[in-house]
Amino acid sequence: MTVTWEESGWEQVAPGVGRRRLPVWDCTVGLVVGAGGVLLVDAGSGLGEGARLRAQAQALTGRRVTHLALTHPHFDHILGAAAFAGAEVFAAVGVETALTARGREALRADAVRWGLDARVAEEAVDALPVPRHAVSGEWTLDLGLDGGRPVLLANVGPGHTAHDLAVLVPGDPGVVFCGDLVEESGEPQAGPDAVPDRWPAALDRLLALGGEDARYVPGHGAVVDAAFVRAQRDALAARFGVSE
């Protein structure tokens, strides 16, 4: 038996499109439902959280998750990925190189530094699949039948990381899943893997994809509009000394 968005604790952002804010790190995951497939955007911070998301998605849709898009390779967004066995996994080109032995160790250490249990982190990192599909420009998925539910995956980075992927769901309204290129619940975080001088341009590409009327779903925080994204773009440009 399927449940409604409200019963499940998910927020419906547009018809067939929802998102959920996860506990602890306030990471947002997205769900896009079509007649021919189900896409999850990001996978949570560990195998247990990933398994809960998988069960929730199945309860909402009556079907398994068929596609998984990872917006960037930070632990709170990708360490649940192995819970989605059989799903086609997409990420920006270059994420596969970030998952070498050295990259996995850095990912594990970062997760533990932020408070994830060391055993949970090690288990999830060991099981983490390498994305099968590397998006270098734009990639259109059809989650419907005969083109009835197109979803655009766009490599809009670098910015927050060297490998930032956005997900555009056309519609009325359109929805853009931004990953951590946009944050609403706090100031955008620029860690050692950020590319600050390219970040404002990545937000320009987000705005070009979604347009003025889209709903923008940040990696952390409440859903925002184009004006919020533009203001954050300008603040980042000033913060990092990027010329217009």
Side-chain angles (χ1 to χ4, degrees), residues 145-208:
L145 301 173
D146 299 323
R149 185 56 146 169
V151 177
L152 181 69
L153 310 181
N155 185 337
V156 297
H160 176 67
T161 72
H163 316 293
D164 292 311
L165 187 76
V167 178
L168 168 66
V169 187
D172 185 16
V175 178
V176 182
F177 291 96
C178 307
D180 286 2
L181 285 167
V182 178
E183 296 193 41
E184 185 275 336
S185 56
E187 186 173 337
Q189 298 300 301
D193 57 345
V195 187
D197 62 333
R198 301 284 294 278
W199 199 333
L203 294 183
D204 286 336
R205 287 192 285 276
L206 273 184
L207 289 164

Side-chain angles (χ1 to χ4, degrees), residues 100-127:
T100 60
R102 179 179 294 180
R104 287 173 187 263
E105 174 54 29
L107 186 62
R108 185 203 62 78
D110 191 54
V112 172
R113 182 172 65 87
W114 281 98
L116 189 65
D117 178 82
R119 181 189 57 80
V120 172
E122 184 170 1
E123 180 185 34
V125 169
D126 286 347

